Amino acid sequence: MKAVIMAGGGGTRLRPLTINRPKPMVSIADRQAVHHIIELLKKHGITDVIITVQYLANVIQDYYSDGSNYGVNIRYSVETTPLGTAGSVKHAAHLLDDEPFLVISGDALTDIDLSRLLAFHQRTGSKATLTLTQVPNPLDFGVVIVDEYHNVQQFLEKPSWGEVFSDTVNTGIYMLDPSIFEYIEPDRMVDWSRDVFPRILEDGHKIMGYIASGYWTDVGTIEEYMRACADYLSGKVNLPRVGKHIGGGVWIENDADIAADAQLHGNIFLGHGVKIRSGVHIHGPAFIRPYSIIDAAARIDRSVVWRNSYIGERAELRGAIVLRQCDIRSQVRIFEGAVVGDGVQIGSGAVIQPNVKIWPSKEVDEGATVSSSLIWGSQARRVLFGRYGIRGLVNIEITPEFCARLGAAYGATLSRGVTVTINRDPHYTPRMLKRALIAGLPSTGVNVLDIRSVPVPVARYYTHATGAAGGIHVRLSPYDNRMAEIRFFDQRGLNLSSNAQRKIESIFFREDFRRAYLDEIGRINYGQNVEQTYIEAFLKALRADVIKDMVIRQAARETQHPHLVVDYAYAGGSDIFSQILRRLKIDVVELNANTDEHRIVQSTADIEAGMHRLMQVTPVLDAKLGVRIDSGGERIFLVDERGRRLTGMQAFAAIAWLTLRANQGGTIAVPATAPQVFEKLAARYGGRILRTKNTLGDIMQTAASHPDLLLLGDGAGSYIFPAFHPIFDGMFATIKIMELLAINDMNFSEAIAALPPYYLNRTKVPCRWESKGKVMRQLNEKYASSSPIQIDGVRIELNEEEWVLMLPDPDSPFFYIYAESTSKDQSRALAEKYAAEVAGMQ
């Protein structure tokens, strides 16, 4: 039997470890990662090996040659360009026989029993057997769902938390029948889980999932690398070890010179020729590769030192990585998460702060303190994007330096010469951060169109209207003035896709920014006619005849009353919306219309006081509607003509009914968390309800891909009328509601009265991050069959009137439990019942 080791990856997330070597050649304690895989193959009697290589291919070929020195027979399949996980194996097909073969990644660490895998594959007779394992956090892996007989049902590549229906992930270890090559086009980029396996299932063939015991980890990031090293040193990985065990968890390869008074504690590996001088303290897990020297009184704590490096007297390494041939002089201190690249020299007394990366062949002066990477900055976090874009504490997490690097990372994902719009809210803090972002973008050859301070919907539409490649909006969080939010748009003005976000994160964290030459540096200009571009498109999307008729009817009344009361909450939308209202000749009373940068962010008490004032003013003025627009201009909060404050879901249901009634049907999109009252309303007019995921980005993507939709919303005050543009726009939503009231010739309170009763309850359950995947798997295994379609989270259809949805929060360690029933008490009881079940699964 033959095995194919995939070893072509560049390992960009592991830089600078992988700058001078491919990812499979990164050392894990006593051997390179790919060498551990070779030892695993030998352990199970597999000695005919094909290694696929692409990035720095000669490094692997020169080191292992034909494999005779390592007890195996190695042949190589060299790719000139990346071909993907399946394409690379297809490229090596001529080296394989007409019999089942094994595919395994060369950059993982595992002791999975391959013999049992082979026996399972032979017993089931499938075209492919996938080796699966269970992990605490499946977000960075390909999730695979299998039935009780181990038949593969579904693949999810790097899912969101709402899509995590299992914590069972694909290890990239496969037993395959040669007939599988029929599904792979030669010399094309082809992926197993995305392209090949789904097609096999579509053709009705069987794919099996072998859930393996034993150790497995993907060595994909610096953190995972350090964890893999620690696990190996502690004996968690059942693979042959190099050298001899001298007691106390210490292993030595051949010979090492250890001073009599040196103190070694914990799990440690010392390579051949290592010298440990007097007074040295080493606390494991730690490994020191061959021929490195640890000089007198140095301290090594949970750290890694590669071969031929020197650690000077009284130097300290705490949770750090020092690569090959480094010269670390006396009294240097290197802290948690720092990585020192090949051939770096660090002068005496220098301090390398946590998480700093130093690229190869750099020099650090004596006594210097390095608080950011020597290339373009330091890594502050593992994931940038959350539900609200990028969010963090002002001048602590979101600093000007951070923003400049972020701008450069975003620019590096775009083509040179394109234009990006950028704007902010009226506060002075986003002005500072916006200018830092602007500094980063031109450095990558991207032009910037500064549209100053405008509401978010205006910025989104202008990005689309000008043909820009994307956009950025910077603001303070509407609910916490300590927090800044940075939101990115695509060329349509919609939220960036998850793939685009990951590209930015990848470049940001590996600090591999593109730098434009002098004559390619981007230009910075100011947007022209921003407000008028938005206003003209806004007005064209309205039913002018309906608005005109409403105004005429109002003017004919003997007693004049305003159509509308609008509270701008001191934000920046008043200038634009006032122009629109004047153009439409709508009578309006405007509250808090003066922009006040000190009052843009309001406390909960301020918001409640503002809503209470709106509830008092609206009925006194006999207005048709009271509206409070949030600081970004995207969300609205409504008060009917009687002064009743409406909940977000109640208002959405009423607007949906008005829309369906005015159009005598049509399709409306609602989130998976919405009650079934929407289906009941649609049934009255022969309409249809489309359910979506719950994030604002997913709702906007749905609006963009379904232009026939009449209305979308999130049930919390955000609305999309795609006839204008597929974005959340509180100003346009306000006028459309007025238009709908005029078409239906009724007040908002009448629309509320027309709604059937519904009882929806929501509760929140704490859930540790490491338990989320396990809980989702257990819920899916237990309840997946209870609903024909799982959109977001796990939904249980109890009967025609009762359902429960269990949805993990994407940004916090919680689950949300939504329950609808026939009464308020019953819906609360259902939510509490399933909340207890989720809590018990952790």
Side-chain angles (χ1 to χ4, degrees):
M1 179 181 174
K2 293 183 179 179
V4 179
I5 300 177
M6 295 186 292
T12 53
R13 292 183 298 161
L14 273 176
R15 290 185 178 181
L17 275 66
T18 52
I19 289 179
N20 293 328
R21 59 192 60 82
K23 185 178 172 185
M25 292 297 289
V26 168
S27 294
I28 300 177
D30 53 17
R31 293 186 179 96
Q32 289 80 10
V34 69
H35 201 151
H36 287 296
I37 297 299
I38 291 173
E39 291 298 323
L40 177 66
L41 294 174
K42 287 167 57 181
K43 181 179 177 181
H44 294 278
I46 303 172
T47 56
D48 283 332
V49 177
I50 295 119
I51 302 181
T52 66
V53 290
Q54 194 268 321
Y55 173 71
L56 296 178
N58 62 300
V59 175
I60 296 178
Q61 291 173 296
D62 292 346
Y63 191 92
Y64 288 103
S65 187
D66 63 0
S68 57
N69 291 335
Y70 303 95
V72 291
N73 173 41
I74 297 177
R75 286 183 289 176
Y76 298 92
S77 175
V78 182
E79 303 166 36
T80 55
T81 58
L83 296 175
T85 55
S88 65
V89 178
K90 172 76 170 184
H91 192 67
H94 66 285
L95 300 175
L96 293 165
D97 301 325
D98 190 21
E99 63 179 9
F101 60 93
L102 176 76
V103 172
I104 189 168
S105 173
D107 51 25
L109 180 64
T110 181
D111 61 9
I112 284 173
D113 192 329
L114 302 180
S115 299
R116 288 189 176 182
L117 169 63
L118 174 59
F120 178 88
H121 178 76
Q122 292 172 334
R123 188 167 62 249
T124 58
S126 63
K127 275 187 177 292
T129 298
L130 283 56
T131 307
L132 312 177
T133 192
Q134 293 169 347
V135 297
N137 183 357
L139 289 188
D140 291 331
F141 302 99
V143 171
V144 180
I145 298 174
V146 297
D147 64 16
E148 57 186 313
Y149 303 107
H150 295 272
N151 292 292
V152 172
Q153 302 291 303
Q154 187 180 359
F155 297 93
L156 290 171
E157 281 298 308
K158 297 186 177 178
S160 65
W161 272 118
E163 298 172 309
V164 175
F165 297 120
S166 175
D167 61 352
T168 305
V169 303
N170 185 357
T171 65
I173 304 173
Y174 311 131
M175 282 296 307
L176 304 174
D177 187 89
S179 61
I180 205 166
F181 289 130
E182 299 169 7
Y183 291 87
I184 308 172
E185 294 183 51
D187 301 319
R188 295 284 299 275
M189 176 74 77
V190 184
D191 181 81
W192 289 118
S193 297
R194 187 178 61 247
D195 304 315
V196 179
F197 295 148
R199 283 184 56 200
I200 294 174
L201 290 178
E202 288 172 7
D203 286 352
H205 295 296
K206 184 165 59 173
I207 296 179
M208 304 302 294
Y210 171 70
I211 301 177
S213 57
Y215 184 90
W216 177 87
T217 189
D218 174 45
V219 186
T221 65
I222 298 296
E223 294 78 12
E224 289 166 351
Y225 170 74
M226 292 295 276
R227 179 169 57 82
C229 293
D231 289 347
Y232 181 84
L233 291 166
S234 66
K236 291 182 180 180
V237 188
N238 184 22
L239 287 174
R241 301 283 290 266
V242 169
K244 58 184 178 181
H245 184 219
I246 63 171
V250 180
W251 287 72
I252 296 179
E253 179 186 8
N254 297 332
D255 185 32
D257 182 4
I258 306 173
D261 61 347
Q263 298 186 36
L264 279 62
H265 306 278
N267 302 307
I268 298 168
F269 171 79
L270 303 178
H272 176 68
V274 165
K275 297 186 183 297
I276 307 296
R277 301 299 193 192
S278 175
V280 166
H281 286 68
I282 303 177
H283 292 265
F287 73 82
I288 300 168
R289 295 284 290 161
Y291 305 110
S292 288
I293 299 172
I294 313 299
D295 217 332
R299 297 184 66 92
I300 310 292
D301 184 5
R302 298 167 292 107
S303 296
V304 168
V305 180
W306 286 15
R307 64 186 299 138
N308 289 311
S309 287
Y310 171 76
I311 310 299
E313 295 181 6
R314 298 188 300 283
E316 294 183 26
L317 273 62
R318 300 184 183 277
I321 301 173
V322 174
L323 301 186
R324 277 192 177 193
Q325 297 175 323
C326 291
D327 183 0
I328 312 298
R329 301 295 175 87
S330 63
Q331 300 185 61
V332 168
R333 289 181 293 163
I334 306 177
F335 290 106
E336 206 78 29
V339 181
V340 179
D342 298 316
V344 168
Q345 298 182 34
I346 301 181
S348 298
V351 177
I352 312 300
Q353 296 281 21
N355 297 319
V356 165
K357 298 188 187 75
I358 302 178
W359 255 237
S361 304
K362 304 298 178 185
E363 295 186 16
V364 176
D365 290 339
E366 183 175 336
T369 296
V370 183
S371 57
S372 62
S373 297
L374 284 189
I375 307 303
W376 295 294
S378 63
Q379 175 176 336
R381 50 178 86 180
R382 181 176 176 271
V383 174
L384 291 177
F385 287 88
R387 185 185 313 177
Y388 304 106
I390 295 174
R391 193 168 187 265
L393 291 167
V394 172
N395 253 0
I396 297 174
E397 295 173 304
I398 307 293
T399 64
E401 306 95 296
F402 173 92
C403 289
R405 296 196 304 274
L406 181 61
Y410 178 41
T413 68
L414 305 173
S415 301
R416 283 189 175 90
V418 302
T419 297
V420 167
T421 66
I422 190 165
N423 71 103
R424 60 175 177 85
D425 73 15
H427 196 269
Y428 53 84
T429 297
R431 180 190 295 124
M432 170 190 72
L433 301 177
K434 185 190 79 171
R435 290 178 177 175
L437 279 159
I438 290 175
L441 285 161
S443 71
T444 65
V446 171
N447 301 313
V448 177
L449 197 60
D450 186 352
I451 55 177
R452 301 179 175 89
S453 174
V454 294
V456 178
V458 179
R460 290 185 186 275
Y461 184 80
Y462 192 76
T463 300
H464 159 74
T466 56
I472 306 174
H473 178 79
V474 190
R475 70 173 187 175
L476 287 186
S477 167
Y479 310 107
D480 187 346
N481 62 3
R482 300 168 300 173
M483 304 292 289
E485 295 178 358
I486 304 173
R487 304 169 77 175
F488 289 81
F489 315 144
D490 65 14
Q491 68 273 17
R492 300 168 296 175
L494 278 59
N495 286 7
L496 284 184
S497 67
S498 58
N499 285 338
Q501 292 176 5
R502 287 188 179 116
K503 287 180 182 178
I504 296 172
E505 289 176 341
S506 175
I507 292 172
F508 182 89
F509 287 137
R510 74 175 188 251
E511 302 167 353
D512 190 16
F513 307 129
R514 180 180 73 207
R515 294 303 186 204
Y517 292 112
L518 181 62
D519 58 349
E520 294 178 333
I521 290 174
R523 308 298 194 268
I524 303 172
N525 296 299
Y526 289 98
Q528 302 297 318
N529 301 317
V530 178
E531 294 181 359
Q532 290 309 309
T533 299
Y534 171 79
I535 291 172
E536 294 304 322
F538 186 113
L539 295 174
K540 287 179 182 178
L542 295 172
R543 289 273 305 274
D545 57 324
V546 174
I547 300 295
K548 183 177 179 181
D549 183 60
M550 180 183 71
V551 172
I552 291 172
R553 280 189 281 128
Q554 178 76 359
R557 294 183 182 178
E558 293 183 3
T559 305
Q560 292 293 308
H561 300 288
H563 298 98
L564 191 62
V565 178
V566 178
D567 184 351
Y568 293 103
Y570 304 102
S574 57
D575 292 342
I576 293 176
F577 200 39
S578 292
Q579 292 183 57
I580 292 170
L581 293 169
R582 287 195 298 271
R583 290 274 293 271
L584 294 172
K585 298 182 180 179
I586 293 177
D587 290 329
V588 62
V589 171
E590 297 177 310
L591 307 177
N592 305 317
N594 57 310
T595 302
D596 186 342
E597 62 185 23
H598 298 290
R599 302 181 72 174
I600 291 173
V601 179
Q602 299 198 350
S603 66
T604 301
D606 292 333
I607 294 171
E608 291 300 315
M611 288 302 299
H612 182 70
R613 185 163 51 249
L614 186 63
M615 292 163 62
Q616 292 178 314
V617 170
T618 301
V620 168
L621 296 176
D622 197 21
K624 297 278 285 184
L625 193 67
V627 179
R628 179 183 173 95
I629 303 178
D630 81 338
S631 61
E634 294 184 289
R635 181 172 290 180
I636 55 175
F637 307 95
L638 302 181
V639 170
D640 71 9
E641 80 282 359
R642 298 181 183 179
R644 293 182 301 177
R645 180 178 178 177
L646 309 176
T647 67
M649 196 63 75
Q650 185 183 32
F652 185 22
I655 296 166
W657 179 73
L658 289 168
T659 302
L660 291 163
R661 187 172 187 268
N663 291 275
Q664 287 301 295
T667 305
I668 290 174
V670 304
T673 54
Q676 292 176 328
V677 66
F678 290 91
E679 279 81 3
K680 295 177 182 178
L681 294 172
R684 293 181 184 178
Y685 303 100
R688 189 170 73 92
I689 298 300
L690 175 68
R691 293 206 169 240
T692 73
K693 294 180 182 178
N694 295 277
T695 66
L696 300 183
D698 285 313
I699 296 172
M700 282 192 283
Q701 291 292 339
T702 300
S705 59
H706 295 78
D708 58 322
L709 290 172
L710 299 175
L711 169 69
L712 302 91
D714 68 345
S718 300
Y719 303 96
I720 297 176
F721 290 88
F724 173 38
H725 196 57
I727 57 174
F728 293 106
D729 188 338
M731 295 178 289
F732 189 77
T734 298
I735 302 302
K736 284 297 290 185
I737 294 169
M738 298 296 296
E739 181 185 285
L740 288 168
L741 292 173
I743 292 172
N744 288 281
D745 192 22
M746 64 174 56
N747 292 320
F748 209 89
S749 62
E750 296 175 86
I752 295 294
L755 299 179
Y758 65 91
Y759 304 96
L760 181 68
N761 188 279
R762 187 187 83 163
T763 190
K764 186 167 70 171
V765 184
C767 180
R768 297 185 304 273
W769 281 108
E770 61 270 21
S771 299
K772 275 187 174 182
K774 181 179 74 172
V775 171
M776 282 296 286
R777 171 174 55 82
Q778 292 174 342
L779 289 173
N780 185 62
E781 290 172 351
K782 189 172 183 179
Y783 296 117
S785 61
S786 65
S787 178
I789 300 176
Q790 298 289 355
I791 298 170
D792 208 3
V794 176
R795 184 181 175 99
I796 308 170
E797 300 284 355
L798 298 172
N799 53 55
E800 290 185 358
E801 295 186 321
E802 291 184 316
W803 57 269
V804 177
L805 175 67
M806 290 161 285
L807 182 66
D809 188 286
D811 300 320
S812 304
F814 294 101
F815 264 77
Y816 286 101
I817 314 299
Y818 296 83
E820 184 177 14
S821 187
T822 54
S823 69
K824 186 176 181 180
D825 290 342
Q826 180 63 13
S827 65
R828 182 173 61 250
L830 272 179
E832 291 174 353
K833 172 186 174 182
Y834 286 92
E837 183 166 0
V838 169
M841 287 181 173
Q842 300 180 44

